[in-house]
C-alpha cells in the first residue's frame, strides 16, 4: 500500500509518499518531502500585496504603523473568510473593512475607499 502525507503548514505545503513494505510492515519513503511556499502565510502576504495595489503601499504601511489594532482586526476578518474558501466556490468572498481603515484612508488620501475600489482591477463591478 502507498499513501501521501500532505503537511499544510503556515509557511509551506509539503508532500511525502510512503509505501508499506510487506510482510514486515516497514515504511519505505518513495518520494521525499517537497513543496513550496503555498502555506497560509503566503496567502496572507498575497492579500496584503493586493491591498497595497488597491490603496497604495505607503498607505498600508502607514495604517499598519498608526492603527495596529485595526490592522489586526482586518487580518482576523480575512482569516475568517479565508477559512470558508474552497476551490469549487463560484461566488466572491467579501471582506468588510474596519471603520478605522475607511476613515484613515479618507484622511490620508482625501478620497473615499469606494473610489479606490472602483479604480481597482480586483473588485468586480456591475457596469
Amino acid at each position: 500500500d502507498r499513501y501521501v502525507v500532505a503537511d499544510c503548514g503556515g509557511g509551506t505545503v509539503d508532500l511525502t509518499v510512503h509505501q508499506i513494505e510487506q510482510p514486515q510492515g516497514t515504511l519505505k519513503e518513495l518520494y521525499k518531502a517537497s513543496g513550496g511556499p503555498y502555506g497560509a502565510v503566503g496567502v496572507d502576504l498575497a492579500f496584503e500585496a493586493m491591498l497595497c495595489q488597491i490603496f497604495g503601499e505607503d498607505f498600508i504601511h502607514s495604517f499598519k504603523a498608526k492603527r495596529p489594532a485595526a490592522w489586526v482586526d482586518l487580518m482576523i476578518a480575512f482569516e475568517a473568510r479565508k477559512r470558508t474558501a474552497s476551490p469549487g466556490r463560484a461566488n466572491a468572498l467579501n471582506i468588510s473593512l474596519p471603520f478605522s481603515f475607511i476613515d484613515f484612508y479618507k484622511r490620508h488620501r482625501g478620497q473615499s475607499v469606494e473610489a479606490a475600489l472602483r479604480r481597482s482591477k480586483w473588485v468586480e463591478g456591475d457596469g
Side-chain angles (χ1 to χ4, degrees), residues 76-97:
I76 288 170
F78 174 67
E79 179 69 27
R81 300 304 290 159
K82 184 172 69 172
R83 290 173 186 257
T84 67
S86 66
R89 186 182 184 104
N91 53 335
L93 288 174
N94 295 316
I95 298 158
S96 298
L97 296 173

Side-chain angles (χ1 to χ4, degrees), residues 14-52:
D14 297 299
L15 302 175
T16 307
V17 180
H18 293 153
Q19 177 175 309
I20 301 172
E21 298 287 307
Q22 297 299 338
Q24 63 274 31
T26 58
L27 288 180
K28 177 181 177 184
E29 189 172 66
L30 297 178
Y31 190 74
K32 291 188 182 288
S34 68
Y38 308 111
V41 172
V43 176
D44 294 347
L45 293 173
F47 176 66
E48 185 175 337
M50 182 188 73
L51 291 175
C52 287

